[in-house]
Amino acid sequence: MSAKVWLVGAGPGDPELLTLKAVRALSEADVVLIDDLVNDAVLEHCPGARIIPVGKRGGCRSTPQAFIHRLMLRYARHGKCVVRLKGGDPCIFGRGGEEAQWLREHGVEVELVNGITAGLAGATQCDIPLTLRGVARGVTLVTAHTQDGSSLNWQALAQGGTTLVIYMGVAKLSEIREQLLAGGMAADMPVAMIENASLAHQRECRSNLTAMEQDASAFELKSPAILVIGAVAARSALYCGNESAREADLSVDINAGYQRA
Ligand code: SAH
């Protein structure tokens, strides 16, 4: 039997947002290496598995990446069914790409399982459509945190006309605001800051580009949180459509049935 590791996304927190494939991988797992943004409630799907926490939140206790690699390799080579469980999606700011490459280079088969990434989940939980006809024709996912200190092209982000979803931004609000303002984004651009998206203790703070740092501080915004920056983050964005079209929609006779053209 060849060695195999499943790199699985656990979604943003709400256990009901787990995919069926993730549930199947968990139910077959002998060993689960789990990140600390994963909600423990999902572990009900792997009652017999050995659970190894390998989380590493910025500034807190951390498990070296090389150690995680070797742990996965060791269990896989012993014929164990290994699940590497990550918050959100394994390949969105989750090192899924790196881990998959390293494992494959060491002869291990890898299967990636999508999870719902926090940025998408957080927006949807707050009724924010990240794309909206006539308002936002795209969405850009970025992280405010880099290990190598490299900088984003803020001007392109400020002027790109897409909704920005920023991960790991809580400690960088001042820089984000300054860079986007300098890049030409409107000072009153709506911002939504969503903490613990999809969990029972989710909180959301609505603001705008100029006020977001002050509002976040008054709100005591804490990590994990995502920022959604763009016109769609205004509560009124959904009602920008054509009123007469909305009236026409509402006049549909619900008893008439649906006729195929
Ligand atoms: N792979 C993960 C992202 C890991 S990076 C995913 O796809 O979601 C960690 C960052 O994700 C956090 O700093 C925060 O910005 C965001 N995040 C993760 N879970 C979150 C949650 N439940 N609510 C809000 N933001 C979250």
Side-chain angles (χ1 to χ4, degrees):
M1 194 178 69
S2 68
K4 180 170 172 177
V5 171
W6 296 74
L7 293 181
V8 178
D14 177 353
E16 286 194 283
L17 292 177
L18 211 53
T19 65
L20 293 176
K21 202 164 186 177
V23 169
R24 179 163 67 84
L26 283 170
S27 69
E28 291 173 10
D30 298 309
V31 183
V32 180
L33 284 83
I34 179 174
D35 272 352
D36 49 15
L37 276 179
V38 173
N39 184 352
D40 285 350
V42 305
L43 299 178
E44 72 168 272
H45 299 292
C46 51
R50 176 165 188 189
I51 310 296
I52 306 177
V54 291
K56 44 169 174 270
R57 295 290 297 278
C60 302
R61 114 198 108 82
S62 89
T63 309
Q65 189 65 32
F67 179 73
I68 298 174
H69 285 167
R70 286 203 301 276
L71 213 51
M72 289 191 286
L73 185 63
R74 198 180 79 193
Y75 282 112
R77 284 188 175 160
H78 277 82
K80 302 290 183 201
C81 178
V82 181
V83 167
R84 171 79 171 105
L85 192 61
K86 292 166 173 285
D89 186 276
C91 292
I92 301 291
F93 310 124
R95 295 192 178 221
E98 281 169 54
E99 291 182 7
Q101 184 183 349
W102 189 89
L103 288 164
R104 286 180 181 132
E105 281 168 7
H106 287 77
V108 176
E109 190 190 337
V110 176
E111 184 153 345
L112 287 152
V113 180
N114 282 114
I116 299 181
T117 189
L120 304 191
T124 304
Q125 301 301 316
C126 294
D127 286 336
I128 298 171
L130 290 174
T131 67
L132 185 62
R133 221 153 24 117
V135 178
R137 53 193 304 180
V139 50
T140 308
L141 309 184
V142 293
T143 172
H145 178 85
T146 54
Q147 269 182 347
D148 59 5
S150 62
S151 172
L152 290 162
N153 183 343
W154 289 101
Q155 193 172 357
L157 294 173
Q159 297 179 13
T162 67
T163 305
L164 298 184
V165 176
I166 304 187
Y167 291 69
M168 294 173 259
V170 175
K172 303 260 178 179
L173 292 175
S174 163
E175 180 189 343
I176 293 166
R177 186 195 57 202
E178 294 312 313
Q179 295 282 6
L180 289 175
L181 285 172
M185 185 178 269
D188 61 352
M189 185 63 83
V191 175
M193 297 174 271
I194 305 149
E195 180 185 294
N196 287 308
S198 87
L199 290 160
H201 49 296
Q202 169 177 308
R203 298 195 308 149
E204 73 176 280
C205 173
R206 303 276 182 141
S207 182
N208 62 51
L209 186 57
T210 308
M212 68 179 194
E213 193 186 356
Q214 209 178 346
D215 288 347
S217 158
F219 186 80
E220 297 185 8
L221 183 76
K222 293 194 182 60
S223 181
I226 52 132
L227 318 179
V228 178
I229 305 181
V232 293
R235 289 195 184 278
S236 58
L238 279 175
Y239 308 110
C240 64
N242 175 330
E243 284 304 313
S244 59
R246 272 158 42 88
E247 284 309 312
D249 282 349
L250 292 174
S251 70
V252 166
D253 177 356
I254 58 166
N255 295 314
Y258 175 70
Q259 301 285 320
R260 268 181 201 276

